[in-house]
Structures are given as structure tokens and as C-alpha cells.
Amino acid sequence: MKATQVRPTGVERSFGADEIIVTKTDPRGIITYANEVFLRTSALTEDEAVGQPHNLIRHPDMPRAIFKLLWDTLAEREEIFAYVVNLASDGAHYWVLAHVTPSFTPDGRLAGYHSNRRLPEPAAVHEIGRIYARIRSAEQQGSGRSAVDAGWQALLGELGDRTYDEFVWGLTNGARR
């Protein structure tokens, strides 16, 4: 399945608040492990998921600037928390609060990435959806690299003097009040 071949249906899918979506990838982002929650929520079989690039679930509403931040952070061998909307193979979408960390071999080489995703609070999804729409709008003013740069500037404008981590945790904690 290629995400670009799947058309979003507008149907939102969810998973249990006590469930965790787990995937592991190699350093190139190829899925090496997917748990049952991931498979069920993404409407994929294990054979359809394992061996495929993780971006097979990329939703067209996700700003490219957020993936730039994700990959830049992981390249610095740091973890990241991010709100992400994913696209299932049947066109449904689902929001997650993702925690992505690099994994290392005993001798310190990058072995891949581990991602745990939890169900986000609806208020946080509502707010991040509005912010991502503004970033996507900026990205649509350009193409290729200039689109990513425009989205990046829009993201920085949304963050103000906060880091993305501070922004995410402020949103998460604010949503739980």
C-alpha cells in the first residue's frame, strides 16, 4: 500500500486510551515491527506493514515542517514527542501523540527507531489541527524545498520563544485541565 494511493475518507478512527501503538524501523525508516494495535488502527496486515517505509501511513494533512523537525531531532540522537495524524489503508485517519526515539547497537551505532503512540486528548487534537492547517497553508505557497522552508517559518512563528517540546507539553497539559 502506498499512502499516496489512498484517498482520505474523512472517517476518524480511534483506539483505546489504555492501548499503545508500537512500531520499530530500521535506520532508513523501513518498518521492522508493528504491534496489533498499529495493524488494527492502520487497517494493515503484518505482511502489508513490515518491510514498508513508515511513511505509508502519512496523511496529506501533516505539515512537511513537522517531519523535518522529527528527522532533524532524531539525527541529533534525541527523542521527540509530536502530534501526528495518520492515514489508514482504508482512508480513515487517526490522531496520535507520538514518542519517537533512536535505538542504538551496543557499540553506539544507530540501529533504527522505536515509536510509541498514545491516544491524544480531543482538545489537544482540535488545537493542533488548527495550527497544522496554518503551517500547511504556508507550505502551499511554495513548492519543493521552498514549501518546507515556508512551513518551517510558520512553525517557528507558532512556537514563539518556546521549543517544540515545550509547545507539545503545554498543549497536552492544557488539554487535560
Side-chain angles (χ1 to χ4, degrees), residues 29-136:
I30 303 297
I31 297 171
T32 58
Y33 170 80
N35 75 348
E36 182 277 333
V37 183
F38 173 84
L39 296 173
R40 175 173 27 95
T41 307
S42 299
L44 293 166
T45 66
E46 186 172 8
D47 287 343
E48 292 170 326
V50 174
Q52 297 300 312
H54 206 283
N55 66 8
L56 89 156
I57 58 167
R58 185 171 294 180
H59 194 288
D61 285 351
M62 273 303 297
R64 296 168 65 186
I66 300 302
F67 290 109
K68 173 187 174 1
L69 174 66
L70 183 141
W71 286 111
D72 288 353
T73 302
L74 293 174
E76 294 175 8
R77 303 171 77 102
E78 299 290 330
E79 66 182 358
I80 185 169
F81 290 86
Y83 285 98
V84 177
V85 61
N86 290 316
L87 181 64
S89 70
D90 60 1
H93 67 275
Y94 58 96
W95 281 92
V96 298
L97 175 57
H99 176 218
V100 186
T101 60
S103 301
F104 302 100
T105 63
D107 62 352
R109 288 180 293 129
L110 179 67
Y113 304 99
H114 185 128
S115 179
N116 295 320
R117 275 95 36 150
R118 289 180 165 69
L119 185 67
E121 294 290 332
V125 168
H126 178 73
E127 181 63 19
I128 202 71
R130 293 180 332 124
I131 292 167
Y132 283 2
R134 289 193 293 264
I135 296 170
R136 279 193 324 276

